[in-house]
Amino acid sequence: MSFPISPVIAQAAAPQPQGGGMSMIIMMVVLFGLMYFMMIRPQMKRQKEHRALIAGLAKGDEVVTNGGIAGRVDEVGETFVTVEIAANVKVKVQKGAVQQVLPKGSLKSA
């Protein structure tokens, strides 16, 4: 049993008008600019502030580390900081682990 199959005639698609490429490039540039001002620039600003914070560490500063340990800076090395968290209890942490510097006298009030 044979089914008659009518021949399918393939037609070429109508040519699309050119000029969509320029609007695509403009849209990509605008998208990149938006991403830069919304994501990249604020992150760079935070990194710059953190580097300044670490460079300004001095003995006697009261700090909080990324792990939540609060203490007073006892010694500042090139890559490490010794933080006194209680009487005669000192912890050595990397400078990058210091999250913030507290105002003087913050630890005594806590």
Side-chain angles (χ1 to χ4, degrees), residues 4 27 37 43 48 50 53 60 67 78 83-84 92 102 109:
M27 191 163 79
F37 283 106
Q43 180 64 26
K48 185 177 179 182
H50 190 252
L53 176 126
E78 194 159 322
V83 179
E84 185 175 11
K92 187 176 268 194
L102 300 172
S109 63

Short mmCIF file of all heavy atoms in Angstrom, two decimals, residues 4 27 37 43 48 50 53 60 67 78 83-84 92 102 109:
data_model
loop_
_atom_site.label_atom_id
_atom_site.label_comp_id
_atom_site.label_asym_id
_atom_site.label_seq_id
_atom_site.Cartn_x
_atom_site.Cartn_y
_atom_site.Cartn_z
N PRO A 4 0.26 8.42 -1.56
CA PRO A 4 0.83 9.46 -2.44
C PRO A 4 1.30 10.66 -1.59
O PRO A 4 0.57 11.18 -0.77
CB PRO A 4 -0.33 9.85 -3.33
CG PRO A 4 -1.55 9.43 -2.62
CD PRO A 4 -1.17 8.28 -1.73
N MET A 27 23.07 48.39 22.03
CA MET A 27 22.43 47.77 23.19
C MET A 27 23.47 47.05 24.06
O MET A 27 23.40 47.11 25.29
CB MET A 27 21.35 46.79 22.73
CG MET A 27 20.48 46.32 23.87
SD MET A 27 18.95 45.59 23.35
CE MET A 27 19.49 43.98 22.86
N PHE A 37 28.54 50.25 36.16
CA PHE A 37 28.14 51.18 37.21
C PHE A 37 27.32 50.52 38.31
O PHE A 37 27.26 51.02 39.44
CB PHE A 37 27.36 52.36 36.62
CG PHE A 37 28.25 53.36 35.95
CD1 PHE A 37 28.30 53.46 34.58
CD2 PHE A 37 29.06 54.18 36.71
CE1 PHE A 37 29.13 54.36 33.96
CE2 PHE A 37 29.91 55.10 36.10
CZ PHE A 37 29.94 55.19 34.72
N GLN A 43 32.14 47.51 43.77
CA GLN A 43 33.05 46.51 44.33
C GLN A 43 34.48 47.05 44.39
O GLN A 43 35.18 46.84 45.38
CB GLN A 43 33.00 45.22 43.51
CG GLN A 43 33.91 44.13 44.01
CD GLN A 43 33.52 43.65 45.40
OE1 GLN A 43 32.38 43.74 45.81
NE2 GLN A 43 34.50 43.15 46.13
N LYS A 48 39.01 49.29 47.66
CA LYS A 48 39.91 50.41 47.93
C LYS A 48 39.77 50.86 49.39
O LYS A 48 40.77 51.11 50.07
CB LYS A 48 39.57 51.57 47.00
CG LYS A 48 40.50 52.74 47.09
CD LYS A 48 40.13 53.80 46.07
CE LYS A 48 41.04 55.00 46.16
NZ LYS A 48 40.65 56.04 45.21
N HIS A 50 38.79 48.98 51.92
CA HIS A 50 39.32 47.92 52.78
C HIS A 50 40.85 47.96 52.81
O HIS A 50 41.46 47.77 53.86
CB HIS A 50 38.81 46.55 52.30
CG HIS A 50 39.11 45.45 53.27
ND1 HIS A 50 40.07 44.51 53.02
CD2 HIS A 50 38.59 45.16 54.49
CE1 HIS A 50 40.14 43.67 54.04
NE2 HIS A 50 39.26 44.04 54.95
N LEU A 53 41.81 50.70 55.08
CA LEU A 53 41.57 50.30 56.48
C LEU A 53 42.72 49.44 56.98
O LEU A 53 43.23 49.65 58.08
CB LEU A 53 40.24 49.54 56.58
CG LEU A 53 39.91 48.99 57.94
CD1 LEU A 53 38.54 49.49 58.37
CD2 LEU A 53 39.92 47.48 57.91
N GLY A 60 46.71 49.15 69.38
CA GLY A 60 45.71 49.79 70.21
C GLY A 60 44.35 49.96 69.53
O GLY A 60 43.36 50.27 70.19
N GLY A 67 35.52 36.56 61.21
CA GLY A 67 34.93 35.50 62.01
C GLY A 67 34.11 36.01 63.18
O GLY A 67 33.53 35.23 63.92
N GLU A 78 53.75 42.43 58.79
CA GLU A 78 53.58 42.74 57.37
C GLU A 78 52.32 42.09 56.80
O GLU A 78 51.60 42.72 56.04
CB GLU A 78 54.81 42.27 56.60
CG GLU A 78 54.87 42.85 55.21
CD GLU A 78 56.27 42.82 54.65
OE1 GLU A 78 57.23 43.06 55.42
OE2 GLU A 78 56.39 42.56 53.45
N VAL A 83 45.80 40.04 67.68
CA VAL A 83 44.66 40.67 68.31
C VAL A 83 44.49 40.08 69.71
O VAL A 83 44.40 38.86 69.87
CB VAL A 83 43.37 40.45 67.48
CG1 VAL A 83 42.18 41.09 68.15
CG2 VAL A 83 43.55 40.99 66.08
N GLU A 84 44.43 40.93 70.71
CA GLU A 84 44.20 40.49 72.09
C GLU A 84 42.69 40.49 72.32
O GLU A 84 42.05 41.54 72.30
CB GLU A 84 44.90 41.41 73.08
CG GLU A 84 44.79 40.92 74.50
CD GLU A 84 45.59 41.77 75.48
OE1 GLU A 84 46.05 42.86 75.10
OE2 GLU A 84 45.73 41.33 76.62
N LYS A 92 46.51 35.41 66.41
CA LYS A 92 47.17 35.98 65.23
C LYS A 92 46.29 35.70 64.02
O LYS A 92 45.94 34.55 63.74
CB LYS A 92 48.55 35.36 65.04
CG LYS A 92 49.37 36.01 63.96
CD LYS A 92 50.76 35.44 63.88
CE LYS A 92 51.64 36.29 64.75
NZ LYS A 92 53.07 36.05 64.51
N LEU A 102 36.72 49.48 65.14
CA LEU A 102 35.70 50.05 66.02
C LEU A 102 36.19 51.37 66.63
O LEU A 102 37.39 51.59 66.74
CB LEU A 102 35.37 49.06 67.14
CG LEU A 102 34.84 47.70 66.72
CD1 LEU A 102 34.76 46.77 67.92
CD2 LEU A 102 33.49 47.85 66.06
N SER A 109 32.71 48.97 76.77
CA SER A 109 31.28 49.16 77.03
C SER A 109 30.48 47.90 76.77
O SER A 109 29.36 47.79 77.21
CB SER A 109 30.73 50.30 76.16
OG SER A 109 30.85 49.96 74.78
#
